[in-house]
Amino acid sequence: MRYLRAAGLLLAGSALLVGSFAAGERWLGERDATSEVNGVTDAVPRAEVARSISGHLSLPLILKGPRSVDCVQDLRAVEGARTHCTAHYLRGTDRGMTVRVVRVRGGEITYVHDAPHR
């Protein structure tokens, strides 16, 4: 009986661990965001793009994300439009990335960013 209980606990623990890895991989793998376009400029403000990217690069409950993200310009509402952003980490490390519009629909755009590179 004791071996059966230990096997059950081991199996439940393994399932929980695998589920945690899958959730973390999904969280880190999602690199797309949808934002409303400013009707005057026909673009998403660079501060909004930076906020969205910062959220993607941070895990819940783990403070290893960037301390800030800066983008060089607003992201135009044109499919294929690009901007460059930089993630600034605590140890003085900066990582650049490209943000690209993949879909424009009505007053919203969907954009993706590549993985931060050195």
Side-chain angles (χ1 to χ4, degrees):
M1 181 75 165
R2 188 172 12 158
Y3 296 114
L4 191 56
R5 185 179 300 155
L9 287 174
L10 181 62
L11 191 59
S14 297
L16 182 62
L17 186 62
V18 167
S20 297
F21 283 132
E25 183 178 332
R26 177 167 166 75
W27 181 273
L28 288 173
E30 290 181 355
R31 294 188 178 140
D32 67 326
T34 300
S35 296
E36 287 188 36
V37 175
N38 179 320
V40 176
T41 63
D42 201 30
V44 173
R46 64 185 182 178
E48 167 66 16
V49 175
R51 184 199 59 75
S52 176
I53 291 171
S54 183
H56 285 167
L57 297 176
S58 302
L59 288 172
L61 306 176
I62 300 174
L63 302 175
K64 292 200 179 213
R67 64 179 165 80
S68 67
V69 175
D70 298 318
C71 298
V72 296
Q73 63 188 24
D74 295 347
L75 190 56
R76 294 181 340 200
V78 175
E79 198 167 311
R82 297 173 189 266
T83 189
H84 183 78
C85 298
T86 304
H88 307 282
Y89 290 88
L90 288 176
R91 294 185 178 158
T93 306
D94 293 344
R95 301 279 187 256
M97 69 199 83
T98 302
V99 179
R100 177 178 46 89
V101 175
V102 292
R103 183 175 53 224
V104 179
R105 195 172 279 165
E108 293 184 333
I109 66 171
T110 300
Y111 49 96
V112 297
H113 64 87
D114 58 5
H117 44 80
R118 296 174 188 233

